[in-house]
Amino acid sequence: MTRLLDVMRRLRDPQNGCPWDIEQTFETIAPYTIEEAYEVADAIAGSDMPALREELGDLLLQVVYHAQIAAEMGQFDFAAVARAIADKMVARHPHVFGDTEIRGAAAQTQAWEARKAEERAAKAAASGRRASILDGIALALPALIRAEKLQKRAARVGFDWAEPRRVLDKIEEEIAEVRAEIDAGAGADRFEDEVGDLLFATANLARHLKIDGEAALRRANAKFERRFRMIEEMLGTQGKSADACSLDELETLWEEAKRRESAAT
């Protein structure tokens, strides 16, 4: 860790560092931080331990990078970051680091959320505003993940459907509203609004079915990619390309790809 911190200091050295690294800011590095987190998730999904080791290192570098920039600004350094998260974990686990007794994972989750709520309330009070149960849900999260988090928070105070079929009813209602906007020849703003409502309701259905909406969409993406590549392979054996085919031809090949995939499993 000491070596890594030294490497980053040298990369950012104004006189002898790397010109590219010297120019970077919190804002320019943030997209890489998000990308590295996704690459960690990809390595985990693929059960690829060598890749996971490498990607965790890349993600750690992002933390070190931000901490170095902050240190140069006189704000905080890596030690302060590590100390703050260690203090937070100790405070949130009094049953491990103190004498509080918590029985079972469910009770621990409840205690964890209660402590986080206290922290959010303290932050709101410090900034002179009213606390909200929706506080602390990062705007930079992927929209699907953020939708689920917003819904989970609202559900804690009873603002939620009792069972999945009610959510299906809501989805059908939202589809009807999208259809009405299409029939009315609405503009992009109305389409974005109504399609957004439809996506939000779909994310809610995933939550009610106790599945990860982001994982479900990733699975659908992978399925589409796998089947479309199969179409391209079938066309390749015929000396054709997808852009030279009609939609009906592509649909027929799509169904064949689905059939082959089903037969293989």
Side-chain angles (χ1 to χ4, degrees), residues 144-172:
L144 187 59
I145 295 176
R146 192 164 192 271
E148 182 181 351
K149 288 184 175 292
L150 288 168
Q151 293 158 0
K152 281 184 177 179
R153 291 280 186 88
R156 291 180 195 166
V157 295
F159 192 63
D160 196 15
W161 300 114
E163 48 92 21
R165 291 187 183 277
R166 297 294 303 278
V167 186
L168 277 174
D169 292 339
K170 184 63 176 175
I171 289 174
E172 291 172 357

Side-chain angles (χ1 to χ4, degrees), residues 92-167:
R92 288 183 179 178
H93 294 81
H95 56 297
V96 176
F97 300 99
D99 54 10
T100 301
E101 184 175 348
I102 297 180
R103 297 182 180 277
Q108 160 57 16
T109 299
Q110 185 176 4
W112 174 276
E113 293 299 340
R115 193 166 292 273
K116 286 172 65 177
E118 291 174 0
E119 292 171 2
R120 289 194 296 270
K123 286 182 179 180
S127 61
R129 60 177 176 79
R130 182 183 180 85
S132 167
I133 196 168
L134 303 180
D135 284 348
I137 303 177
L139 286 170
L141 283 171
L144 187 59
I145 295 176
R146 192 164 192 271
E148 182 181 351
K149 288 184 175 292
L150 288 168
Q151 293 158 0
K152 281 184 177 179
R153 291 280 186 88
R156 291 180 195 166
V157 295
F159 192 63
D160 196 15
W161 300 114
E163 48 92 21
R165 291 187 183 277
R166 297 294 303 278
V167 186

Side-chain angles (χ1 to χ4, degrees), residues 1 13 56 68 85 89 105-106 116 122 155 208 235 255 258:
M1 195 68 239
D13 182 85
L56 286 171
Q68 177 60 31
I85 189 59
M89 290 301 98
K116 286 172 65 177
H208 272 267
L235 285 171
E255 292 301 323
K258 288 172 63 177

Side-chain angles (χ1 to χ4, degrees), residues 17-93:
C18 169
W20 185 89
D21 287 288
I22 294 169
E23 290 180 356
Q24 302 313 303
T25 65
F26 292 127
E27 291 77 14
T28 62
I29 291 298
Y32 297 104
T33 307
I34 295 169
E35 180 181 336
E36 296 300 349
Y38 275 113
E39 290 182 3
V40 167
D42 284 344
I44 293 171
S47 299
D48 188 338
M49 291 300 106
L52 179 58
R53 179 188 60 201
E54 180 179 347
E55 298 302 344
L56 286 171
D58 290 344
L59 184 58
L60 177 59
L61 178 65
Q62 296 300 307
V63 177
V64 170
Y65 215 132
H66 287 289
Q68 177 60 31
I69 295 173
E72 293 165 5
M73 297 170 62
Q75 297 297 318
F76 57 83
D77 59 9
F78 181 82
V81 173
R83 183 167 55 251
I85 189 59
D87 289 346
K88 182 186 291 185
M89 290 301 98
V90 170
R92 288 183 179 178
H93 294 81

